Amino acid sequence: MINLLNISKNALAAHQFSLGVTSSNIANVNTPGYSRQRPELRTLGTTDVKAGNITLSVNVTEVRRIYDNHLERQVIGQIQTAAYSSEQKSLLARLESIFEESQGGKLADNLNRFWQAWDGLALNPDGWVERRALLSETESLAHTFRDYDASLRGLTADIQERLSDSIRKVNDLLPKIADLNRRIIEVAKDDGSLNSLRDQRTELIKELASKMEIDHFENEWGAANIFLANGQNLVNNHVSELLVLNSDRTIMISGYPGIIINDTVSKAENGQISAQLRIAGRQIPEYLAKLDQLARAITEAVNSQHRLGYDQGGNAGGNFFVPTTTARGMAVNITEPRRIAASLTVGNDGQNARSIALINDKHVIDGTATINQFFASLVGQVGLDLARAQGMDEHRQLVLNNLMQRREEFSGVSIDEEMMNLIKFQLGYNAAGRLVKTADELLETLIRLGS
Amino acid sequence: MRVTENMRFLNTTYNLGNIKKKHEAVIEKLSSQKNINRLSDNPIGMTRLLDLRKTKTSLDQIKGNINHAKGFLSISETKLTAVSDLLIRAQELAIGQATGIATQESRAIAAKELQEIISELLTQANATFNDKYIFAGSKNSAPPFSLADPLPSISAVTAGSMNHFNGTVSAQGSFSGTANKTFVLQVTAGGALADAEYKISADGGLTWGGTQTGLAGPVNLGEGIELIFTAGNVNAAPNDTFILQAKAGGYYHGNKADLSVNLGRDITLSYNISGVEALGGQMPGGVDIFQVLIAFRDSLINNDTSAIQAAITGLNSGQNHILQAIATVGAKMNRLDLATDQVEALGLEIAKLTSEIEDANLEDLISRFTTSESALKASYQVAARVGNISLLDFLR
């Protein structure tokens, strides 16, 4: 008879505990990374028919975290690729705004006006206004070139800042993960008390994954070990490493020789850092090199033609631009309008200005492209790079969204379900209460029998 | 399938964001009326657009060139026609005065009229366009014709304004050439006069003779002219230039250089006719209209009937010469008209292509706008009702 009371006591406790689990689920319905939990109810006790004894009660053996490790790994993998493409997209969008030629008024326009000024001078070779106008168009052209160069270099410096922010964040995350590992290892048996720690750790790993390409697995003690793509350990049980960013945008592990990440080592398109390295280390230098090539072609072509002519003082034309091979070195050599060599003879024929204006139509870049074609294709390339990154990002975000949906489907909290659980456990609790009452009545009957 | 609360919210937010993004894109195009608002909207189109814009600027410039050349040529034509009219009047005078009826008095009166004709001819021959003398070749900042001194002459030597050499240079000899020339001596390697190397051009610096050494003795420029260098305290340096203008016999002071404009890639048109082509002289077998008229005037003053009769022949060939010049101008004008038509047609084509790439298609955009707006409305409605209903509503 006392058994009956014991059974109902256990049932009451188990259901009360289950109601607690349900309420935790409801409370955390909006907590990011929270995995729903389920009480594991098990029968307790024995049945001995011969002795006429049955004591099958219930207890909660563990609180199970509903979690699909495989799915979570997929999410983490996708976070890496999605973070790469989204960072790439936003950095390329900044490049796009530097190369904003669609509304006119920038380099393409400057170039057009520059050649136009030469053609104008050809019509009136001794015109002071035409000469002045040419010089000011040239100043503005050179300035636009230098501006482009400065903007691109400015963006590189910005990316360097972003990189060091990313590294700081990574250095903040690694010890936190190691610390959670330590706390998880310390608890020998996992009956559900570690669920929230694990959830927290998964969230931190996701955050880390958005920064850089990592690999992780959980070892037999429950610690999540973090590796770089090349196998280098970042977190090993409760020990974490420290990353160091060098000024040449290479990343090393503090205390170890050898570069672990740079824009050529990191081939994978994973994580923000990889995108930052790639754009600062490859894309921008590529654009800069093309701008340099353009500046050099203009400088050399104009200078060599200009030297063939004569200025208004009967002097052989010198260099029109300061000889340079870079966009940032672009500058006008001639300060006095009189010194522009507009004519091919010491007379006033304007034919040199006309010849210079014709450079516009010549294939001066590697003998295959005109200056305008070359620049237009550079601008097109910047646009294409961004358009491609946008398309890629859209796709990757969609995949990520789908995976998160699947994760939510599996591990997320459903209010309806929890309500049903609430009703279920409440009913069980009520029934167990009723059991106590019945046991009480039985006892009373027994006592009355004995009295 | 389990459907959790977060799934619903995640999904709704994601889809709402997508629909809003599409809607914004349509709104941007509608409000700017441009299909390309950013490079990435259409990179290939942008590349073509930049190319088209360049072509348009070139076309604008060609239009400017054509207008300039047309203006220049129409002034040239007017002036040449005026010269032709003057010559007709001179021919009438010649025919009138060549007969035996003419007296010394009538010839004196005719000589006065002819003097007026000569002065008028001079004015026409020294006509300007945009402050440039049209019949002067590239020496167009000074009047190309002058009645004073038809003998060959050479100017003083002018040194380049950036020359290092500070000694003196003088010219000697008499010019034996038949056309006006601009001689240029350019130093190619500096040093003391005896060591300096130089080259000589007889066409203003366009083409050069071989490099020679030594400026110490008289330097032969050719065609009877020599330069004498006297050392100063600074030696000659590379690119030091010395310029000398040599005028052949006749009244023309300009040169025969072509002035040309670009009419497109690798197409140029020389739009001027030099004084020699227009009014003759300075070429073997040519006619010098001024010379003819002045000889005619003198023969009138001298009452020399045979010379007056000879002038008729001279005036006739002068008239022919002018008519040829007018025909040349006409041919150039025709070429410009042709070029104008082409440029206009090309301009329209470019404008059309540009518009196709750049300008928004309103009908299409408005229908897309309506579609995306209804989609957006629908998803707002859905979003507002996400989580409106759950089991909770039915528990009491």
Side-chain angles (χ1 to χ4, degrees), chain A residues 286-351:
Chain A
E286 191 186 317
Y287 296 158
L288 271 176
K290 292 208 165 161
L291 276 179
D292 284 349
Q293 200 182 347
L294 195 66
R296 180 178 170 182
I298 294 174
T299 305
E300 284 177 359
V302 171
N303 278 354
S304 67
Q305 183 66 44
H306 190 258
R307 284 195 297 263
L308 296 179
Y310 293 90
D311 68 7
Q312 282 186 299
N315 306 295
N319 284 327
F320 184 73
F321 288 105
V322 177
T324 180
T325 54
T326 60
R328 68 163 137 182
M330 194 92 169
V332 199
N333 192 32
I334 282 179
T335 46
E336 256 186 281
R338 280 176 54 76
R339 292 284 289 133
I340 298 171
S343 296
L344 273 178
T345 64
V346 290
N348 205 13
D349 57 53
Q351 296 306 296

Side-chain angles (χ1 to χ4, degrees), chain A residues 248-449:
Chain A
D248 62 352
R249 289 191 302 274
T250 52
I251 298 166
M252 298 168 67
I253 293 181
S254 171
Y256 291 87
I259 290 156
I260 55 154
I261 305 174
N262 65 22
D263 53 344
T264 48
V265 168
S266 165
K267 287 188 194 70
E269 301 188 339
N270 284 328
Q272 292 174 357
I273 290 178
S274 172
Q276 288 155 355
L277 286 176
R278 181 158 307 202
I279 290 186
R282 289 206 229 162
Q283 223 132 9
I284 295 180
E286 191 186 317
Y287 296 158
L288 271 176
K290 292 208 165 161
L291 276 179
D292 284 349
Q293 200 182 347
L294 195 66
R296 180 178 170 182
I298 294 174
T299 305
E300 284 177 359
V302 171
N303 278 354
S304 67
Q305 183 66 44
H306 190 258
R307 284 195 297 263
L308 296 179
Y310 293 90
D311 68 7
Q312 282 186 299
N315 306 295
N319 284 327
F320 184 73
F321 288 105
V322 177
T324 180
T325 54
T326 60
R328 68 163 137 182
M330 194 92 169
V332 199
N333 192 32
I334 282 179
T335 46
E336 256 186 281
R338 280 176 54 76
R339 292 284 289 133
I340 298 171
S343 296
L344 273 178
T345 64
V346 290
N348 205 13
D349 57 53
Q351 296 306 296
N352 204 35
R354 197 179 56 76
S355 299
I356 291 176
L358 280 181
I359 293 173
N360 190 12
D361 285 326
K362 293 215 174 100
H363 291 104
V364 290
I365 309 233
D366 302 336
T368 55
T370 66
I371 284 162
N372 188 70
Q373 281 168 347
F374 185 78
F375 182 64
S377 77
L378 172 59
V379 169
Q381 190 197 339
V382 174
L384 268 180
D385 285 347
L386 175 60
R388 206 164 30 215
Q390 280 170 340
M392 188 166 83
D393 185 51
E394 205 163 312
H395 172 71
R396 289 181 174 182
Q397 299 296 345
L398 181 71
V399 174
L400 179 61
N401 193 52
N402 282 344
L403 284 173
M404 305 248 282
Q405 291 281 351
R406 279 177 54 202
R407 189 215 168 265
E408 281 301 321
E409 182 186 332
F410 190 73
S411 301
V413 177
S414 159
I415 299 264
D416 290 349
E417 185 183 322
E418 299 308 325
M419 283 301 130
M420 291 304 295
N421 285 342
L422 209 57
I423 295 166
K424 191 170 77 183
F425 293 133
Q426 195 183 1
L427 265 173
Y429 188 84
N430 286 348
R434 185 59 184 268
L435 201 58
V436 175
K437 202 176 166 206
T438 310
D440 183 45
E441 282 170 14
L442 288 178
L443 268 176
E444 205 160 308
T445 310
L446 201 63
I447 291 165
R448 219 178 286 140
L449 276 178

